[in-house]
Amino acid sequence: MVKAIFFDIDGTLVSFKTHTIPESTRQTLQQLRQQGIKVFIATGRPKMLMMDAVGDIEFDGYITLNGAHCFTSSHEDIFKKGISREDIERLVNYHHAHPEIPFVFASGDRWFITSIDASVEEVACLIEIDTPPVEPIGHALQEDVLQIMGYFNKEQEKEIFDHVLLGCEPMRWNPLFTDIIASGNSKSMGIDKVLEHYGINLEETMAFGDGGNDIPMLRHVKIGVAMGNAAPEVQASADYVTTSVDEDGITHALKHFGVI
């Protein structure tokens, strides 16, 4: 019996084409809650961008920043773990030598970026968000940084994570940038924290996702569902591949498993 379902936002709940949640999905989420099934967000977005995306839809709790910040529907913190001061200091020094790489720093209800280039603008357009305010990277030393977003390619990861961000790991879902979180944080870890808080067993869970950062949670829950628009490696990590977000994929999968 499914008692808790976790949903990614971009490409899962929210269409990359319309930038909205399909009406069928909105109705399905309401039906799930009426049946007594708890529904949760599990996203790489920070809190403020997550709330913009879900709008007036009610959820029972939220996993944001790839597990770094988890909280209830009443915004009571369940778990919060940021990036170490030592890693931030090394990144500040690294950026002085590589100022061409934009970095975003997210801390609670605030975020900023070190510079804006074509990649930053492309990603902002993809998920229909405003770019963060530009500030000097030194401001990160004054923040409790929960997640970093780095606009560098896959080939640059080894240098950065072997020599700079030693206590972090990448959660890439787009070739233009990667989310960066403290080692040990993930959507799957966030799920465990949320389940412990609500007294729900992992065997009673289901999750939907489409990006590389969703792979840990799709493998972790009892039933992991990849959207039809997900990359091949994400689909290979799931128990079931549904139709795309624009083809009522969430509703289709829930009917397939007899949840609704």
Side-chain angles (χ1 to χ4, degrees):
M1 180 179 178
V2 175
K3 293 185 178 179
I5 306 179
F6 298 84
F7 298 93
D8 171 55
I9 292 180
D10 298 297
T12 300
L13 281 178
V14 175
S15 166
F16 285 126
K17 296 178 180 178
T18 67
H19 303 293
T20 61
I21 299 176
E23 184 58 33
S24 68
T25 303
R26 296 175 68 93
Q27 293 175 3
T28 294
L29 291 170
Q30 184 178 15
Q31 181 178 344
L32 289 171
R33 298 192 83 223
Q34 289 172 347
Q35 292 176 204
I37 298 172
K38 292 191 179 298
V39 295
F40 300 95
I41 288 293
T43 182
R45 287 185 179 226
K47 184 176 182 179
M48 63 279 195
L49 295 184
M50 180 271 298
M51 299 305 295
D52 287 345
V54 301
D56 60 346
I57 299 177
E58 293 185 16
F59 290 86
D60 294 286
Y62 305 92
I63 297 168
T64 64
L65 297 169
N66 292 298
H69 189 198
C70 310
F71 50 94
T72 67
S73 58
S74 58
H75 298 266
E76 171 194 354
D77 281 351
I78 296 174
F79 175 80
K80 184 184 285 189
K81 179 186 175 184
I83 295 171
S84 73
R85 169 84 179 194
E86 292 76 15
D87 273 10
I88 299 297
E89 290 175 348
R90 280 190 291 267
L91 184 58
V92 169
N93 291 331
Y94 176 83
H95 190 258
H96 290 328
H98 300 276
E100 74 281 0
I101 302 177
F103 286 96
V104 175
F105 295 86
S107 46
D109 294 326
R110 186 178 122 71
W111 71 334
F112 71 90
I113 192 168
T114 56
S115 61
I116 295 174
D117 64 9
S119 294
V120 174
E121 293 177 339
E122 183 174 337
V123 172
C125 182
L126 174 68
I127 58 177
E128 201 177 48
I129 61 169
D130 294 330
T131 55
V134 176
E135 297 182 18
I137 193 170
H139 287 188
L141 296 169
Q142 305 164 18
E143 302 284 343
D144 178 17
V145 178
L146 297 175
Q147 180 171 283
I148 303 168
M149 286 78 94
Y151 285 80
F152 52 86
N153 60 39
K154 181 78 172 177
E155 289 67 35
Q156 293 171 280
E157 286 185 10
K158 181 172 175 57
E159 175 190 1
I160 291 173
F161 291 97
D162 282 357
H163 302 289
V164 184
L165 297 171
L166 305 184
C168 296
E169 56 187 282
M171 286 287 173
R172 184 178 293 273
W173 60 271
N174 184 287
L176 296 177
F177 83 108
T178 182
D179 292 334
I180 300 167
I181 54 179
S183 297
N185 283 357
S186 67
K187 291 186 180 184
S188 58
M189 184 277 300
I191 286 173
D192 287 341
K193 297 295 183 181
V194 168
L195 294 179
E196 180 182 3
H197 180 83
Y198 286 96
I200 299 172
N201 193 290
L202 186 62
E203 291 295 306
E204 302 167 320
T205 61
M206 190 174 187
F208 289 79
D210 75 300
N213 60 337
D214 295 318
I215 290 175
M217 79 167 178
L218 295 182
R219 290 175 173 169
H220 190 58
V221 296
K222 179 65 175 178
I223 303 172
V225 179
M227 306 302 290
N229 47 277
E233 62 270 21
V234 181
Q235 295 188 12
S237 301
D239 299 296
Y240 180 74
V241 179
T242 186
T243 52
S244 74
V245 59
D246 296 295
E247 299 171 304
D248 302 327
I250 288 174
T251 303
H252 173 80
L254 291 170
K255 287 181 177 177
H256 171 81
F257 285 101
V259 179
I260 59 173

